[in-house]
Amino acid sequence: MPLRLEIKRKLAQRSERVKSVDLHPTEPWIMSSLYSGSVCIWNYQTQTMVKSFEVSELPVRSAKFIARKQWVVAGADDMFIRVYNYNTMDKVKLFEAHTDYIRCVAVHPTLPYVLSSSDDMLIKLWDWDKGWMCTQIFEGHSHYVMQITFNPKDTNTFASASLDRTVKIWSLGSPDPNFTLDGHSKGVNCVDYFTGGDRPYLITGSDDQTAKVWDYQTKSCVQTLEGHAHNVSAVCFHPELPIIMTGSEDGTVRLWHSTTYRLENTLNYGLERVWALGYMKGSRRVVIGYDEGTIMIKIGREEPVASMDSSGKIIWAKHNEIQTVNIKAVGVDAEIADGERLPLAVKELGSCDLYPQSLRHNPNGRFVVVCGDGEYIIYTALAWRNRSFGSALEIVWSTEGEYAVRESTSKIKIYSKNFQERKSIRPAFSAERIYGGVLLAMCTNDFICFYDWVECRLIRRIDVNVKNVYWADSGDLVTIASDSSFYILKYNRDLVSSHLDGGASVGEEGVEDAFELLHEINERVRTGLWVGDCFIYNNSSWRLNYCVGGEVTTMFHLDRPMYLLGYLANQSRVYLIDKEFNVVGYTLLLSLIEYKTLVMRGDLERANTVLPSIPKEQHNSVAHFLESRGMLEEALDIATDPNYRFDLAVQLGSLEVAKEIAIEARSESKWKQLGELAMSSGKLEMAEECLLQATDLSGLLLLYSSLGDAEGITKLASMAKELGKNNVSFLCLFMLGKLEECLQLLVDSNRIPEAALMARSYLPSKVSDIVSIWKKDLQKVNSKAAESLADPAEYPNLFEDWQIALNVEATMAPKRGVYPPAEEYMTYAERSNESLVEVFKSMNVEEEIPSENGDSAHEVIEDDGVEESQEDAVEVEPDDSTDGGVLVNGNDGEEHWVLTPDQ
């Protein structure tokens, strides 16, 4: 049966004819050398071109990365080899290497050597540590040498393919070939070594339209792969999968099983002839070079084939080799941090006769089943002895140790614990996948059907596209994972048993209430497992989460793709493995899970008995969980982090608790936040204390001004001035009517023009002094502008209503420091925008104007500016009985109350 290989195209770039491709070992780069004479480097993650080298006007038939030197080496039809630094784009070396086209260059994996082969029928070895000196020439081929490649298992030897129909094996240091493989009827274009296991194999591709697998120890042809309709131009053994890839000028790439040599797949991307294949050990990516561009594909899953039993023993498969490690061997005393790789001692357990695509322990850990190549084998977990085998596309275990085998989409067999076939089922639908557990599940792409293991009676059909099924150990909970979400269901086994035992009929949908949907979470599950009533999983963003009662909590952010192995309760750790077979653990306390489960069930009494067993460092996590459930008071009692406790206290309005935390923390932000909350709650004394602690001047200004607290505003003015907050200080002084201090503050702050404008509005008697200061200050910058400033003492005619303004100031001065009580606000509110100058003018106020000789004279100022007789003048009398203003006797015989607002 065929391998189930998932093939995804990861990059497609159109270009001119590609003659060679190479993958960088650490960067996400693909290099293509082109027939047009250039070399391009593409980033397959961003799908963009990183670098481009114009190498030659003639074709570049081969280019390779030398990553340890950050170089690119390229051979072209102009017979020159060129070396570039791919970071700086500088040319490191240029030299003539051959007397004809250079077909291939190969880089030694460890030594400073580069091999080159040419149409001059020679192979040359170059040493870059010796200034790219040619240290050896290999002669023996009688036609063009098309490709050379080092043996990865013995890097002292290499193979060469030639159009003389042979492949020769050479050793460094020896001028003659070790031996020759002759079997193709036409020229050989390509050669590659097997890298996976112990088999001493290599593969060749020829113009006779075949590829041949050779055993280079027995020097015999093991298999001939036939099927291409044109020359075979590129071949490779996949380094991670049991497949051989062959590319041809017929435009196709064929995938063959490397053990059975069965054709598994044929790829055709419509880019005309195939010229090159590139791969890298440790990666499942393969690059294909065509006439019209480059394609990169990813073959198979990267998820490691591994399984862990309940005691911590892990078995995994590397190709056909089976290895085991034991987590308990690390020891309790070893302090391994969460996410740190475990120093595990790997033990060789044996080998498998088939290529493992899945490997899984049975429930008690005594047996391990390996499935792949359309077959399964059950081994004993300790001694790795074969106990049973058979045909299978999939095999799954029940919780009781039985197992089911899916032989095809229409045939499923159930076996007992003793490996005896017990039942054969032919479902009425196409079974694409099966899952084990408490019930046996069979899936199509549209729905899943659950059956009991004993009688195979339908329990329930659920219409959902299923990617995986995970059962809890209790058998009461199950997770069904789909493409974009997962569902947690409760299995009502008692209801199902009574329904079936009572002889009730079961329809096409099964028992209606067999499952109850508890939660639906919109996240994709990569891998998952149950620990009690807690479902642990990693999602598509590679976060390790757990779900209790529908509440999802992120445990850790994984820095790379990792896959869940299992949970060890005695260590309170969950273990994961990456594709490189590194095992890491993360702490997850059972007591924490139990507490959250009890809270979700509403059993707070039992939950409180579990709480003492949870370490203090986990209490904040518990508090966050309680907060998410709306249990803020309980969360406040449990939380230990001061910042978090403060936030909870603020949410609850527990100001005294928040105040205690703020006192301990000595944080201005906390005092400020608490002050605002106290103010909004009407606790003004606490608000004042908090705002003072926080030095929140704007908050204090709001508080004191709202209360009409003159004493507080006076203190705030001084505090603000000391702290350099002149705007707040100015506002405070202004509200207090201390206009002289306001003016002085503006002068001290070097805001002289503003001081002049203020004096003009409120303190005209001070204008001359300020103008004098302004002139001196402006003189430093612009003397002409300074001379243009007018002083009202010299030019009173330029200042409208100047004398009235002076009289208003003198009249109002005694009242500026008197603050009426708040209850009289309405008396003043409607007149707050009146101008005293305008009021005085409109009522023809009598003023005493100093004469030029210093004696006083009486004049009456009218709206038109004409003097009146003394008899017609009005009298201005301050009324001491009322604060904050003055009574003015007007010509109309009425008394007018005049406020003291801005002039």
Side-chain angles (χ1 to χ4, degrees):
M1 294 183 182
L3 283 169
R4 291 178 295 168
L5 293 174
E6 185 180 285
I7 300 175
K8 291 183 179 179
R9 187 171 66 181
K10 293 295 184 180
L11 177 130
Q13 293 290 350
R14 292 260 180 182
S15 69
E16 295 165 327
R17 185 186 303 171
V18 177
K19 294 305 293 180
S20 78
V21 289
D22 194 26
L23 278 160
H24 195 283
T26 55
E27 300 289 345
W29 291 352
I30 297 167
M31 180 165 59
S32 303
S33 69
L34 307 183
Y35 195 80
S36 62
S38 61
V39 171
C40 300
I41 299 177
W42 302 90
N43 185 313
Y44 55 75
Q45 289 180 352
T46 62
Q47 310 274 308
T48 56
M49 182 184 287
V50 180
K51 317 272 183 184
S52 180
F53 302 90
E54 295 296 330
V55 175
S56 168
E57 294 181 358
L58 297 174
V60 180
R61 297 184 185 271
S62 184
K64 296 289 170 57
F65 284 113
I66 307 178
R68 56 190 184 275
K69 301 292 287 185
Q70 300 177 351
W71 288 345
V72 168
V73 58
D77 279 6
D78 62 2
M79 300 167 284
F80 280 82
I81 287 178
R82 293 170 176 84
V83 185
Y84 298 88
N85 183 305
Y86 57 65
N87 286 330
T88 64
M89 307 287 281
D90 294 335
K91 190 182 291 182
V92 176
K93 188 70 176 178
L94 165 68
F95 58 94
E96 187 171 1
H98 290 271
T99 57
D100 208 335
Y101 296 168
I102 299 173
R103 292 282 176 176
C104 184
V105 292
V107 181
H108 194 283
T110 56
L111 298 174
Y113 296 161
V114 171
L115 280 173
S116 62
S117 67
S118 167
D119 285 0
D120 63 10
M121 300 179 287
L122 299 178
I123 302 168
K124 294 186 178 183
L125 180 67
W126 309 90
D127 187 333
W128 69 68
D129 278 356
K130 295 181 179 178
W132 292 93
M133 179 191 298
C134 179
T135 57
Q136 191 173 356
I137 298 175
F138 301 89
E139 297 183 68
H141 282 295
S142 57
H143 210 307
Y144 303 162
V145 185
M146 302 297 288
Q147 189 174 1
I148 42 179
T149 182
F150 282 101
N151 184 346
K153 294 172 184 173
D154 178 8
T155 55
N156 192 51
T157 64
F158 66 91
S160 59
S162 170
L163 292 188
D164 63 9
R165 306 181 185 181
T166 68
V167 172
K168 294 184 182 293
I169 309 299
W170 311 77
S171 291
L172 298 179
S174 173
D176 301 317
N178 299 340
F179 56 88
T180 300
L181 301 175
D182 187 355
H184 286 287
S185 59
K186 291 187 177 179
V188 183
N189 296 310
C190 44
V191 61
D192 190 43
Y193 278 96
F194 178 68
T195 58
D198 296 331
R199 289 179 289 174
Y201 286 0
L202 58 80
I203 184 171
T204 56
S206 167
D207 286 345
D208 64 10
Q209 303 179 12
T210 69
K212 290 182 180 289
V213 179
W214 305 82
D215 184 321
Y216 56 78
Q217 286 185 347
T218 63
K219 305 176 185 58
S220 60
C221 177
V222 175
Q223 186 75 25
T224 299
L225 306 178
E226 298 177 332
H228 281 293
H230 213 299
N231 301 346
V232 177
S233 50
V235 292
C236 75
F237 281 103
H238 194 286
E240 302 297 319
L241 294 168
I243 58 171
I244 296 167
M245 301 184 69
T246 58
S248 167
E249 292 181 42
D250 63 11
T252 67
V253 173
R254 293 190 170 221
L255 278 63
W256 315 76
H257 196 293
S258 61
T259 303
T260 64
Y261 305 108
R262 177 183 60 229
L263 179 64
E264 298 288 347
N265 210 332
T266 301
L267 308 177
N268 190 342
Y269 291 103
L271 297 180
E272 299 299 328
R273 294 174 292 184
V274 178
W275 291 110
L277 291 170
Y279 63 89
M280 184 174 64
K281 188 165 179 61
S283 170
R284 302 203 172 196
R285 297 180 179 88
V286 174
V287 187
I288 311 166
Y290 290 89
D291 265 336
E292 297 180 3
T294 305
I295 295 284
M296 188 182 81
I297 59 175
K298 190 174 180 181
I299 304 176
R301 301 175 304 161
E302 290 196 344
E303 185 175 344
V305 180
S307 177
M308 184 175 93
D309 67 12
S310 57
S311 68
K313 291 178 182 175
I314 303 172
I315 292 177
W316 63 56
K318 286 188 175 181
H319 304 290
N320 292 73
E321 305 305 313
I322 308 299
Q323 298 175 332
T324 181
V325 295
N326 191 347
I327 291 174
K328 287 187 176 180
V330 176
V332 181
D333 297 332
E335 293 185 5
I336 308 295
D338 284 348
E340 186 178 330
R341 184 176 68 87
L342 272 64
L344 297 171
V346 179
K347 176 184 174 184
E348 296 293 334
L349 195 57
S351 62
C352 188
D353 296 333
L354 49 83
Y355 184 80
Q357 286 186 280
S358 69
L359 182 151
R360 187 171 298 174
H361 283 88
N362 77 330
N364 63 22
R366 289 181 58 200
F367 300 106
V368 174
V369 63
V370 177
C371 190
D373 296 346
E375 298 177 0
Y376 75 91
I377 303 174
I378 297 176
Y379 294 92
T380 56
L382 292 177
W384 203 250
R385 292 195 181 95
N386 186 329
R387 289 301 305 270
S388 185
F389 61 91
S391 299
L393 295 175
E394 285 181 285
I395 179 169
V396 295
W397 297 102
S398 80
T399 53
E400 301 298 324
E402 299 174 302
Y403 61 95
V405 170
R406 184 172 73 92
E407 291 189 349
S408 68
T409 56
S410 59
K411 189 175 183 180
I412 294 165
K413 292 180 178 179
I414 297 177
Y415 290 80
S416 68
K417 300 176 186 178
N418 299 322
F419 315 111
Q420 301 298 314
E421 182 180 336
R422 190 169 58 76
K423 201 171 188 66
S424 182
I425 310 167
R426 290 191 174 273
F429 51 85
S430 176
E432 302 295 333
R433 295 173 301 281
I434 61 172
Y435 300 100
V438 175
L439 299 175
L440 173 61
M442 305 178 196
C443 297
T444 71
N445 292 327
D446 301 315
F447 60 84
I448 180 172
C449 288
F450 289 95
Y451 300 85
D452 73 292
W453 283 90
V454 179
E455 301 294 335
C456 293
R457 291 170 294 187
L458 177 64
I459 303 300
R460 187 65 178 153
R461 167 178 160 156
I462 300 173
D463 293 327
V464 63
N465 184 297
V466 178
K467 292 298 178 186
N468 219 323
V469 175
Y470 305 94
W471 282 93
D473 291 339
S474 65
D476 296 331
L477 295 170
V478 62
T479 298
I480 297 178
S482 67
D483 272 330
S484 57
S485 59
F486 66 90
Y487 309 89
I488 295 179
L489 293 84
K490 181 181 180 182
Y491 174 47
N492 300 314
R493 64 169 74 206
D494 294 337
L495 186 147
V496 171
S497 296
S498 61
H499 186 95
L500 297 178
D501 295 343
S505 62
V506 177
E508 293 182 357
E509 299 294 321
V511 181
E512 185 176 354
D513 297 323
F515 289 96
E516 175 189 349
L517 177 61
L518 299 180
H519 311 287
E520 178 182 353
I521 311 295
N522 292 321
E523 279 199 315
R524 183 183 173 190
V525 175
R526 295 278 189 177
T527 53
L529 59 90
W530 282 91
V531 177
D533 289 351
C534 169
F535 181 62
I536 307 172
Y537 67 97
N538 53 2
N539 63 12
S540 54
S541 303
W542 300 110
R543 293 180 183 178
L544 184 60
N545 297 342
Y546 66 85
C547 178
V548 176
E551 294 290 337
V552 174
T553 304
T554 297
M555 292 170 58
F556 297 96
H557 294 261
L558 305 175
D559 59 357
R560 60 190 184 278
M562 304 202 75
Y563 309 90
L564 282 161
L565 281 171
Y567 181 83
L568 292 185
N570 59 350
Q571 296 183 5
S572 296
R573 286 170 75 84
V574 59
Y575 288 95
L576 299 93
I577 189 170
D578 64 13
K579 64 180 181 179
E580 305 296 334
F581 297 93
N582 297 311
V583 178
V584 299
Y586 292 95
T587 301
L588 179 61
L589 298 172
L590 270 180
S591 54
L592 180 63
I593 296 170
E594 185 182 357
Y595 178 86
K596 291 186 176 183
T597 304
L598 291 169
V599 170
M600 293 299 302
R601 293 175 179 172
D603 193 347
L604 298 181
E605 188 175 338
R606 285 184 60 199
N608 289 332
T609 62
V610 174
L611 184 61
S613 63
I614 299 175
K616 283 284 186 183
E617 57 268 21
Q618 295 291 329
H619 280 202
N620 283 322
S621 171
V622 174
H624 280 290
F625 170 74
L626 293 172
E627 182 190 5
S628 70
R629 307 295 302 165
M631 302 167 68
L632 297 181
E633 292 183 7
E634 292 81 357
L636 180 58
D637 291 338
I638 293 172
T640 57
D641 181 274
N643 294 330
Y644 182 41
R645 293 190 73 241
F646 181 83
D647 292 340
L648 289 172
V650 168
Q651 289 183 59
L652 285 166
S654 301
L655 301 187
E656 293 301 329
V657 176
K659 182 180 175 182
E660 291 175 8
I661 299 170
I663 291 171
E664 293 177 9
R666 298 180 181 178
S667 166
E668 282 190 11
S669 62
K670 283 186 172 55
W671 282 115
K672 185 175 181 180
Q673 187 179 352
L674 184 56
E676 292 171 355
L677 182 62
M679 197 184 301
S680 63
S681 304
K683 297 185 177 182
L684 301 182
E685 291 183 6
M686 180 184 285
E688 181 182 7
E689 181 185 355
C690 295
L691 294 173
L692 283 169
Q693 291 283 356
T695 322
D696 184 356
L697 302 184
S698 58
L700 287 167
L701 179 62
L702 174 63
L703 177 64
Y704 291 144
S705 60
S706 302
L707 293 173
D709 185 348
E711 185 181 343
I713 291 178
T714 302
K715 290 190 296 182
L716 180 60
S718 301
M719 186 192 307
K721 189 173 182 180
E722 289 175 10
L723 294 172
K725 305 294 183 182
N726 291 334
N727 286 348
V728 175
S729 183
F730 180 90
L731 282 171
C732 292
L733 294 170
F734 190 80
M735 283 191 287
L736 292 168
K738 297 181 179 181
L739 301 180
E740 290 82 2
E741 292 185 37
C742 287
L743 198 62
Q744 188 60 45
L745 185 63
L746 289 172
V747 173
D748 293 344
S749 305
N750 203 33
R751 297 166 74 166
I752 300 170
E754 295 170 67
L757 290 173
M758 182 183 176
R760 175 68 179 95
S761 299
Y762 298 104
L763 294 170
S765 63
K766 301 288 184 182
V767 170
S768 293
D769 297 339
I770 301 301
V771 168
S772 175
I773 297 170
W774 193 0
K775 279 188 176 182
K776 289 180 182 178
D777 185 66
L778 192 57
Q779 189 77 33
K780 302 172 186 175
V781 181
N782 190 327
S783 58
K784 191 172 183 181
E787 291 171 5
S788 67
L789 292 175
D791 186 339
E794 299 175 12
Y795 304 98
N797 59 307
L798 296 179
F799 295 84
E800 187 179 358
D801 302 324
W802 177 249
Q803 195 59 52
I804 295 176
L806 288 170
N807 290 339
V808 170
E809 178 189 353
T811 304
M812 297 298 110
K815 296 293 182 181
R816 277 196 272 113
V818 180
Y819 313 119
E823 61 191 20
E824 295 186 15
Y825 170 74
M826 294 307 298
T827 309
Y828 298 84
E830 296 178 0
R831 299 185 176 91
S832 60
N833 293 320
E834 291 182 0
S835 167
L836 289 180
V837 171
E838 294 300 323
V839 170
F840 269 58
K841 283 173 62 178
S842 66
M843 295 189 303
N844 298 319
V845 181
E846 182 188 35
E847 300 290 351
E848 184 175 296
I849 305 173
S851 65
E852 291 183 1
N853 58 9
D855 297 330
S856 64
H858 290 281
E859 292 183 358
V860 176
I861 310 299
E862 287 191 325
D863 289 344
D864 58 3
V866 179
E867 295 182 359
E868 291 187 349
S869 66
Q870 186 173 355
E871 288 76 14
D872 296 328
V874 295
E875 183 181 359
V876 179
E877 294 180 357
D879 184 358
D880 295 332
S881 63
T882 308
D883 294 331
V886 64
L887 279 175
V888 178
N889 295 321
N891 288 333
D892 55 2
E894 297 290 328
E895 286 187 330
H896 295 271
W897 177 252
V898 180
L899 297 176
T900 56
D902 299 355
Q903 300 301 311

PDB file of all heavy atoms in Angstrom, residues 614-625:
ATOM      1  N   ILE A 614      -1.579  24.035  46.868  1.00  0.00           N
ATOM      2  CA  ILE A 614      -1.036  24.739  45.703  1.00  0.00           C
ATOM      3  C   ILE A 614       0.069  25.674  46.172  1.00  0.00           C
ATOM      4  O   ILE A 614      -0.142  26.480  47.077  1.00  0.00           O
ATOM      5  CB  ILE A 614      -2.145  25.547  44.994  1.00  0.00           C
ATOM      6  CG1 ILE A 614      -3.260  24.612  44.505  1.00  0.00           C
ATOM      7  CG2 ILE A 614      -1.576  26.331  43.818  1.00  0.00           C
ATOM      8  CD1 ILE A 614      -4.447  25.332  43.897  1.00  0.00           C
ATOM      9  N   PRO A 615       1.263  25.586  45.604  1.00  0.00           N
ATOM     10  CA  PRO A 615       2.370  26.449  46.039  1.00  0.00           C
ATOM     11  C   PRO A 615       2.031  27.932  45.908  1.00  0.00           C
ATOM     12  O   PRO A 615       1.257  28.324  45.031  1.00  0.00           O
ATOM     13  CB  PRO A 615       3.517  26.061  45.086  1.00  0.00           C
ATOM     14  CG  PRO A 615       3.162  24.708  44.583  1.00  0.00           C
ATOM     15  CD  PRO A 615       1.678  24.647  44.538  1.00  0.00           C
ATOM     16  N   LYS A 616       2.611  28.738  46.776  1.00  0.00           N
ATOM     17  CA  LYS A 616       2.338  30.175  46.794  1.00  0.00           C
ATOM     18  C   LYS A 616       2.610  30.828  45.444  1.00  0.00           C
ATOM     19  O   LYS A 616       1.907  31.750  45.036  1.00  0.00           O
ATOM     20  CB  LYS A 616       3.203  30.846  47.867  1.00  0.00           C
ATOM     21  CG  LYS A 616       2.707  30.658  49.294  1.00  0.00           C
ATOM     22  CD  LYS A 616       1.510  31.562  49.567  1.00  0.00           C
ATOM     23  CE  LYS A 616       1.107  31.483  51.049  1.00  0.00           C
ATOM     24  NZ  LYS A 616      -0.093  32.298  51.318  1.00  0.00           N
ATOM     25  N   GLU A 617       3.663  30.349  44.752  1.00  0.00           N
ATOM     26  CA  GLU A 617       4.008  30.993  43.495  1.00  0.00           C
ATOM     27  C   GLU A 617       2.946  30.800  42.408  1.00  0.00           C
ATOM     28  O   GLU A 617       2.956  31.476  41.380  1.00  0.00           O
ATOM     29  CB  GLU A 617       5.368  30.496  42.975  1.00  0.00           C
ATOM     30  CG  GLU A 617       5.486  29.008  42.761  1.00  0.00           C
ATOM     31  CD  GLU A 617       6.030  28.294  43.990  1.00  0.00           C
ATOM     32  OE1 GLU A 617       5.939  28.852  45.107  1.00  0.00           O
ATOM     33  OE2 GLU A 617       6.539  27.175  43.823  1.00  0.00           O
ATOM     34  N   GLN A 618       2.021  29.862  42.642  1.00  0.00           N
ATOM     35  CA  GLN A 618       0.943  29.626  41.683  1.00  0.00           C
ATOM     36  C   GLN A 618      -0.343  30.364  42.054  1.00  0.00           C
ATOM     37  O   GLN A 618      -1.316  30.310  41.321  1.00  0.00           O
ATOM     38  CB  GLN A 618       0.651  28.120  41.586  1.00  0.00           C
ATOM     39  CG  GLN A 618       1.780  27.289  41.034  1.00  0.00           C
ATOM     40  CD  GLN A 618       2.036  27.558  39.571  1.00  0.00           C
ATOM     41  OE1 GLN A 618       1.116  27.878  38.818  1.00  0.00           O
ATOM     42  NE2 GLN A 618       3.289  27.449  39.145  1.00  0.00           N
ATOM     43  N   HIS A 619      -0.338  31.054  43.192  1.00  0.00           N
ATOM     44  CA  HIS A 619      -1.573  31.682  43.657  1.00  0.00           C
ATOM     45  C   HIS A 619      -2.046  32.804  42.745  1.00  0.00           C
ATOM     46  O   HIS A 619      -3.260  33.028  42.609  1.00  0.00           O
ATOM     47  CB  HIS A 619      -1.388  32.192  45.091  1.00  0.00           C
ATOM     48  CG  HIS A 619      -1.513  31.099  46.109  1.00  0.00           C
ATOM     49  ND1 HIS A 619      -1.818  31.325  47.429  1.00  0.00           N
ATOM     50  CD2 HIS A 619      -1.389  29.745  46.008  1.00  0.00           C
ATOM     51  CE1 HIS A 619      -1.874  30.177  48.088  1.00  0.00           C
ATOM     52  NE2 HIS A 619      -1.591  29.208  47.233  1.00  0.00           N
ATOM     53  N   ASN A 620      -1.119  33.499  42.140  1.00  0.00           N
ATOM     54  CA  ASN A 620      -1.548  34.548  41.211  1.00  0.00           C
ATOM     55  C   ASN A 620      -2.274  33.951  40.012  1.00  0.00           C
ATOM     56  O   ASN A 620      -3.246  34.528  39.509  1.00  0.00           O
ATOM     57  CB  ASN A 620      -0.346  35.366  40.733  1.00  0.00           C
ATOM     58  CG  ASN A 620       0.110  36.352  41.777  1.00  0.00           C
ATOM     59  OD1 ASN A 620      -0.718  36.947  42.472  1.00  0.00           O
ATOM     60  ND2 ASN A 620       1.405  36.518  41.925  1.00  0.00           N
ATOM     61  N   SER A 621      -1.790  32.803  39.538  1.00  0.00           N
ATOM     62  CA  SER A 621      -2.471  32.119  38.441  1.00  0.00           C
ATOM     63  C   SER A 621      -3.884  31.730  38.852  1.00  0.00           C
ATOM     64  O   SER A 621      -4.836  31.883  38.083  1.00  0.00           O
ATOM     65  CB  SER A 621      -1.669  30.875  38.026  1.00  0.00           C
ATOM     66  OG  SER A 621      -2.393  30.091  37.111  1.00  0.00           O
ATOM     67  N   VAL A 622      -4.016  31.244  40.084  1.00  0.00           N
ATOM     68  CA  VAL A 622      -5.339  30.889  40.600  1.00  0.00           C
ATOM     69  C   VAL A 622      -6.225  32.135  40.674  1.00  0.00           C
ATOM     70  O   VAL A 622      -7.407  32.108  40.306  1.00  0.00           O
ATOM     71  CB  VAL A 622      -5.219  30.237  41.996  1.00  0.00           C
ATOM     72  CG1 VAL A 622      -6.594  30.005  42.608  1.00  0.00           C
ATOM     73  CG2 VAL A 622      -4.458  28.924  41.903  1.00  0.00           C
ATOM     74  N   ALA A 623      -5.650  33.234  41.146  1.00  0.00           N
ATOM     75  CA  ALA A 623      -6.421  34.472  41.277  1.00  0.00           C
ATOM     76  C   ALA A 623      -6.899  34.970  39.916  1.00  0.00           C
ATOM     77  O   ALA A 623      -8.052  35.423  39.780  1.00  0.00           O
ATOM     78  CB  ALA A 623      -5.571  35.542  41.965  1.00  0.00           C
ATOM     79  N   HIS A 624      -6.054  34.881  38.911  1.00  0.00           N
ATOM     80  CA  HIS A 624      -6.467  35.279  37.560  1.00  0.00           C
ATOM     81  C   HIS A 624      -7.635  34.416  37.083  1.00  0.00           C
ATOM     82  O   HIS A 624      -8.558  34.911  36.434  1.00  0.00           O
ATOM     83  CB  HIS A 624      -5.295  35.166  36.593  1.00  0.00           C
ATOM     84  CG  HIS A 624      -4.344  36.320  36.647  1.00  0.00           C
ATOM     85  ND1 HIS A 624      -4.667  37.581  36.195  1.00  0.00           N
ATOM     86  CD2 HIS A 624      -3.074  36.415  37.124  1.00  0.00           C
ATOM     87  CE1 HIS A 624      -3.660  38.392  36.390  1.00  0.00           C
ATOM     88  NE2 HIS A 624      -2.667  37.716  36.943  1.00  0.00           N
ATOM     89  N   PHE A 625      -7.562  33.128  37.390  1.00  0.00           N
ATOM     90  CA  PHE A 625      -8.646  32.224  37.009  1.00  0.00           C
ATOM     91  C   PHE A 625      -9.946  32.640  37.705  1.00  0.00           C
ATOM     92  O   PHE A 625     -11.010  32.708  37.079  1.00  0.00           O
ATOM     93  CB  PHE A 625      -8.266  30.790  37.374  1.00  0.00           C
ATOM     94  CG  PHE A 625      -9.392  29.797  37.247  1.00  0.00           C
ATOM     95  CD1 PHE A 625      -9.823  29.367  36.006  1.00  0.00           C
ATOM     96  CD2 PHE A 625     -10.034  29.308  38.369  1.00  0.00           C
ATOM     97  CE1 PHE A 625     -10.860  28.460  35.881  1.00  0.00           C
ATOM     98  CE2 PHE A 625     -11.073  28.408  38.260  1.00  0.00           C
ATOM     99  CZ  PHE A 625     -11.486  27.978  37.013  1.00  0.00           C
TER     100      PHE A 625
END
